Amino acid sequence: MTTSPDSSSPLISAEALKAALGTVRVFDVRFDLARPEAGEAAWREGHLPGAHYLHLDRDLSAKDGVPALCGGRHPLPTREVFAATAARLGLTPDTPVVLVDAQGGMFAARAWWMLRWIGARDVRVLDGGLAAWRAAGGALEPGEVAPPAAAPAWPLEPEPAGLRLTADALAAQLGRVALLDARAPERYRGDVEPLDPVAGHIPGALNRPFSANLGPDGRFLPPEALRAAFQGLAGARAVVHQCGSGVTACHNLLAMAVAGLPGGALYAGSWSEWCRDPARPVARG
């Protein structure tokens, strides 16, 4: 895949994607937490040419009895389950993939992390999302897209160490790691909680709202700005990322990759899993 100006970046510009269409697989990951079918309906109304749809609940979470690695609102499926999903979508570890949403990358980042987690080698997020595509004069097509031919079984390698933590593993490391909470400040403080049964945050967590990774145009900030922000929060400590349900935490992981920093681990269950156990401590303010 040709990306500009930096082919090592996990981002791709709309202009570079226009040039690469036909040589990459594009997936639309638009979603609305309050209206779970809204993203797919918007995809049917108009999407990038040839783009298939990935649904947060059906494709990127373990729901309806699917084996899961954590609890919470968007439990992470096992690697075996998601590798089977990737193969069903016609992907191999070497397939170039571009992920697109209309929410600043908050859902595209979840798909980016999961594909990398199972060993995909060439995965990018469209910087600026659908708005950037339109601004670059990119075309949209309505309607369904023919299902892809399934690929052979995904050759799943052993899970690399350090990519994710369980709740118990995180609890044992509180105070020793830089735990970054990607939720909005009012949810982090516990002023409001529209989605989970308890308000507040994990003790010791630092607030890094995922929206702080973006400029006014909806594109990611320059690598040097992101690098300074994350190094200022974490210092020399190992980094663990969490949010409400393990979705926007991936945006901070993506931002650290844009910055050229090692991203650290994902606590996939995040606040929605943590707060459901009354034995776990809660902080506010």
Side-chain angles (χ1 to χ4, degrees):
M1 186 188 305
T2 301
T3 59
S4 177
D6 180 4
S7 62
S8 68
S9 174
L11 303 176
I12 184 171
S13 69
E15 293 76 13
L17 179 54
K18 285 175 70 177
L21 279 185
T23 66
V24 301
R25 292 289 308 283
V26 180
F27 289 92
D28 191 315
V29 203
R30 281 177 282 177
F31 196 75
D32 185 329
L33 292 172
R35 298 182 300 133
E37 299 311 317
E40 190 168 18
W43 166 76
R44 288 195 182 93
E45 291 175 4
H47 49 75
L48 272 66
H52 290 88
Y53 185 73
L54 284 176
H55 194 284
L56 177 63
D57 288 338
R58 293 197 308 266
D59 301 311
L60 302 176
S61 302
K63 296 290 184 76
D64 300 325
V66 173
L69 295 174
C70 62
R73 285 182 283 107
H74 295 105
L76 193 67
T78 65
R79 293 175 77 239
E80 291 76 11
V81 165
F82 188 59
T85 297
R88 173 177 57 80
L89 293 168
L91 302 181
T92 73
D94 292 314
T95 304
V97 174
V98 175
L99 303 156
V100 181
D101 67 23
Q103 292 87 7
M106 67 181 289
F107 300 112
R110 165 84 166 206
W112 168 84
W113 186 88
M114 290 180 67
L115 284 165
R116 298 286 294 170
W117 176 54
I118 62 169
R121 300 182 181 96
D122 191 357
V123 187
R124 316 278 173 168
V125 170
L126 175 59
D127 195 15
L130 197 63
W133 179 256
R134 287 170 169 154
L140 296 179
E141 296 179 346
E144 301 280 349
V145 177
W154 187 281
L156 196 61
E157 300 291 334
E159 181 176 7
L163 289 186
R164 63 180 180 89
L165 283 181
T166 65
D168 289 343
L170 175 60
Q173 298 183 49
L174 286 183
R176 300 201 305 272
V177 297
L179 177 60
L180 303 187
D181 186 327
R183 294 176 298 164
E186 60 272 19
R187 288 189 66 201
Y188 165 81
R189 292 191 302 265
D191 299 344
V192 299
E193 183 43 70
L195 298 171
D196 294 310
V198 179
H201 60 265
I202 300 172
L206 303 172
N207 194 205
R208 172 63 184 182
F210 82 92
S211 58
N213 298 324
L214 305 174
D217 60 357
R219 292 175 172 85
F220 278 77
L221 295 174
E224 57 271 18
L226 293 170
R227 190 177 309 120
F230 283 102
Q231 287 178 331
L233 286 169
R237 291 179 294 170
V239 182
V240 177
H241 296 272
Q242 52 96 184
C243 56
S245 64
V247 176
T248 58
C250 296
H251 200 281
N252 279 345
L253 281 153
L254 175 59
M256 290 190 73
V258 173
L261 295 170
L266 173 67
Y267 168 38
S270 285
W271 180 249
S272 62
E273 177 185 51
W274 183 274
C275 74
R276 280 170 167 77
D277 184 345
R280 294 188 183 120
V282 172
R284 296 184 176 88

